[in-house]
Amino acid sequence: MASGEWYELRVVGSVGTAAGSTAGVGIAVGENGRLCSLTLGCARRFESKQQAMDFLSTIRVSGDYQFQAVLCGSRVAA
């Protein structure tokens, strides 16, 4: 992974996911392990896609959500 890049866990359908919108709307796993709006800038950052996916097994989220690890950073359009 290049410097300045990281991964975020986003709810499928959020901006940056394969099924996501381009309107900038989105929800991610926050620093506290709860869901947060991408506009708040509090999404938890992971060094690798695997690290992000492994984190999913350590949290509980109410509701039926699916997540996708999304590459973010200076060279990637989020």
Side-chain angles (χ1 to χ4, degrees):
M1 182 168 58
S3 177
E5 294 180 348
W6 66 91
Y7 286 87
E8 293 176 358
L9 281 172
R10 296 187 181 174
V11 173
V12 170
S14 294
V15 66
T17 63
S21 70
T22 57
V25 177
I27 300 171
V29 173
E31 283 294 333
N32 60 4
R34 295 182 177 191
L35 298 181
C36 70
S37 170
L38 289 174
T39 58
L40 295 176
C42 61
R44 186 179 191 104
R45 294 181 177 194
F46 300 92
E47 292 182 17
S48 69
K49 183 176 184 177
Q50 186 62 49
Q51 186 183 49
M53 298 311 291
D54 289 346
F55 184 75
L56 278 177
S57 66
T58 68
I59 62 171
R60 286 184 159 209
V61 177
S62 352
D64 188 23
Y65 294 98
Q66 294 179 347
F67 295 91
Q68 181 179 345
V70 175
L71 183 62
C72 304
S74 57
R75 294 188 198 171
V76 180

